[in-house]
Amino acid sequence: MIANKIDYYNVKKAALTLRALNHKLRQQLIKLIDEEQKLTVTEIYVRLRLEQSVASQHLAILRKAGIVNTQREGKFIHYVINHKRIEEINEFVNQLIT
């Protein structure tokens, strides 16, 4: 039976990762962080004219999916793109659609 061979837990994790990318605001966050190389949450919400809580919530989703990482510099936490993870996701998506 094929259902026994499907790891539904990992399917759910993959779906959450793809869902993290399939959101217009999160795509804007990724683009902004990539362009600037690193930004604090304050810089992000000011630049995108968001509420701080909205920016933080979406950054948490991206962080949980491994799409962004944080780097502490003194009292500041900067968000950076995890380029290796983006490459892995692109490879996975390409395998899925071909």
Side-chain angles (χ1 to χ4, degrees):
M1 183 172 198
I2 196 154
N4 291 339
K5 296 180 182 179
I6 297 173
D7 185 341
Y8 289 108
Y9 176 74
N10 282 337
V11 169
K12 184 176 181 179
K13 282 176 61 175
L16 288 172
T17 299
L18 293 176
R19 194 176 304 139
L21 285 170
N22 192 27
H23 189 280
K24 195 168 195 119
L25 178 56
R26 290 192 284 269
Q27 291 168 5
Q28 288 178 304
L29 286 167
I30 292 166
K31 183 177 186 285
L32 178 63
I33 295 167
D34 190 46
E35 288 171 352
E36 300 296 326
Q37 297 181 3
K38 67 179 182 178
L39 290 169
T40 65
V41 68
T42 304
E43 292 168 324
I44 292 167
Y45 75 74
V46 167
R47 294 275 294 275
L48 293 179
R49 294 183 174 95
L50 301 170
E51 293 289 326
Q52 185 271 327
S53 60
V54 171
S56 293
Q57 187 175 30
H58 287 282
L59 287 166
I61 291 167
L62 292 172
R63 197 171 59 243
K64 187 172 182 180
I67 296 163
V68 297
N69 291 326
T70 56
Q71 295 176 345
R72 179 176 284 279
E73 290 181 18
K75 65 179 183 171
F76 297 103
I77 296 176
H78 291 91
Y79 287 85
V80 296
I81 299 296
N82 182 350
H83 292 283
K84 183 176 185 289
R85 180 72 167 153
I86 298 288
E87 288 173 25
E88 292 169 352
I89 294 167
N90 279 331
E91 287 175 23
F92 171 73
V93 169
N94 286 332
Q95 288 175 355
L96 260 170
I97 62 173
T98 56

